[in-house]
Amino acid sequence: MAPTSSPQTPFGRVLTAMVTPFTADGVLDLDGAQRLAAHLVDSGNDGIVVNGTTGESPTTSDEEKAQLVRVVVEAVGDRAHVVAGAGTNDTRHSLELARAAEQAGAHGLLAVTPYYNKPPQEGLFRHFTAIADATDLPVMLYDIPGRSGVPINTETMVRLAEHPRIVANKDAKGDLGRASWAIAATGLAWYSGDDMLNLPLLSVGAVGFVSVVGHVVSPELRAMLDAYLQGDVAKATEVHQKLLPVFTGMFRTQGVITSKAALTRQGLPAGPLRLPLVELTDEEIEQLRRDLAAGGVHL
């Protein structure tokens, strides 16, 4: 049974885009995935995103994706929203992933802008509409032009928001002005997809975060959000400023690389990376230690 949700917060407020744990020989670690998901929920998350970029979705198979959804729902689905990444740059493949995620028990879908093939806005509209039509699950769009090469324009967002199952957007556009207009124009539940902008996006109408740094600072993210919602902006700002070294350190390279390094050193399930991603060097690990220590996290 999925946790209760509201139109304002259809997927909860604090979600971590979870890494996919692998065993030492690179096989999916299903037990580790369950333990990591439980740890994240215990730490303050009311949602988990699986099979996103940070979950190494480009290098996991369709079968592995479905298995991962199934076991994470089994572990935490009664107390956290489990959102499954289902977007690719191939609409037909995305529909297959969406239906498989629904069958595996996911509570919602995350659909990223098609990447590399750079479709026009009409192509984006038809792609996202097809995904939303494919299942009965609510959909969170994922606008990340830095990876996809194409933004979802505000006008396209307005059209997509008319679909009854397109209910949210994960914003990694890095533009507070455009976010302000889009939040006002669409009424979509807005989630920060850029940890450095978690607090600023709340100030223009966001309802929560889909975070990478949540792997190491979920309690702090929850404290920042709660302080802001309670009207204590000074406290929220204090937490935000304390976390600046963490935001910086976790994104000196690809976020899944640093997340897995940090989790491993905290004794939590993570395991190796799949190529083309590679482990941090000794020098990079020391830099990560310094960055996280400056934000109060000790590896």
Side-chain angles (χ1 to χ4, degrees):
M1 186 70 178
T4 56
S5 62
S6 73
Q8 292 75 33
T9 57
F11 304 110
R13 288 193 183 274
V14 179
L15 299 88
T16 292
M18 193 179 88
V19 303
T20 298
F22 298 124
T23 64
D25 55 357
V27 176
L28 197 63
D29 180 1
L30 296 175
D31 177 65
Q34 291 192 315
R35 287 187 287 121
L36 180 57
H39 165 77
L40 291 171
V41 175
D42 291 342
S43 298
N45 289 272
D46 50 6
I48 299 289
V49 173
V50 296
N51 298 327
T53 310
T54 309
E56 294 179 77
S57 59
T59 52
T60 56
S61 70
D62 291 4
E63 181 181 351
E64 287 174 323
K65 288 178 173 65
Q67 287 180 305
L68 193 62
V69 172
R70 196 171 294 113
V71 300
V72 171
V73 169
E74 181 182 293
V76 300
D78 59 339
R79 58 198 184 107
H81 303 266
V82 179
V83 181
T88 73
N89 64 344
D90 173 352
T91 304
R92 286 193 296 178
H93 187 202
S94 300
L95 304 187
E96 293 170 3
L97 291 175
R99 294 179 183 122
E102 182 179 44
Q103 290 168 4
H107 303 142
L109 302 173
L110 179 70
V112 70
T113 313
Y115 38 85
Y116 190 74
N117 39 18
K118 300 182 79 170
Q121 293 297 307
E122 181 62 24
L124 298 185
F125 175 77
R126 295 187 194 182
H127 172 83
F128 289 125
T129 298
I131 292 173
D133 285 342
T135 78
D136 291 326
L137 297 178
V139 175
M140 180 189 296
L141 306 173
Y142 183 10
D143 185 16
I144 182 163
R147 284 185 183 275
S148 67
V150 178
I152 309 174
N153 289 345
T154 300
E155 297 77 12
T156 306
M157 287 264 192
V158 170
R159 294 176 67 198
L160 289 167
E162 294 175 2
H163 195 292
R165 284 187 292 280
I166 296 177
V167 298
N169 181 53
K170 178 185 175 185
D171 182 355
K173 194 175 269 170
D175 188 325
L176 291 170
R178 290 169 85 175
S180 300
W181 276 110
I183 291 168
T186 65
L188 293 172
W190 215 258
Y191 291 84
S192 171
D194 182 345
D195 278 303
M196 187 67 84
L197 295 182
N198 285 347
L199 180 58
L201 274 166
L202 290 179
S203 75
V204 297
V207 302
F209 326 128
V210 178
S211 174
V212 173
V213 304
H215 286 102
V216 292
V217 290
S218 282
E220 290 84 350
L221 293 179
R222 173 61 68 177
M224 182 173 70
L225 177 77
D226 289 347
Y228 184 85
L229 294 176
Q230 292 160 13
D232 192 346
V233 178
K235 175 64 175 176
T237 302
E238 180 183 319
V239 177
H240 168 75
Q241 291 177 348
K242 177 190 173 187
L243 293 178
L244 291 175
V246 178
F247 298 153
T248 296
M250 291 289 284
F251 294 104
R252 288 186 187 275
T253 185
Q254 225 277 11
V256 60
I257 296 175
T258 52
S259 294
K260 283 196 162 183
L263 289 168
T264 297
R265 282 153 185 80
Q266 292 182 324
L268 290 163
L273 298 142
R274 286 184 176 173
L275 285 170
L277 300 181
V278 294
E279 314 290 337
L280 294 180
T281 65
D282 291 343
E283 293 79 6
E284 288 170 331
I285 289 169
E286 285 310 307
Q287 181 64 59
L288 181 63
R289 286 185 192 275
R290 290 193 296 270
D291 290 330
L292 296 191
V297 179
H298 300 282
L299 300 184

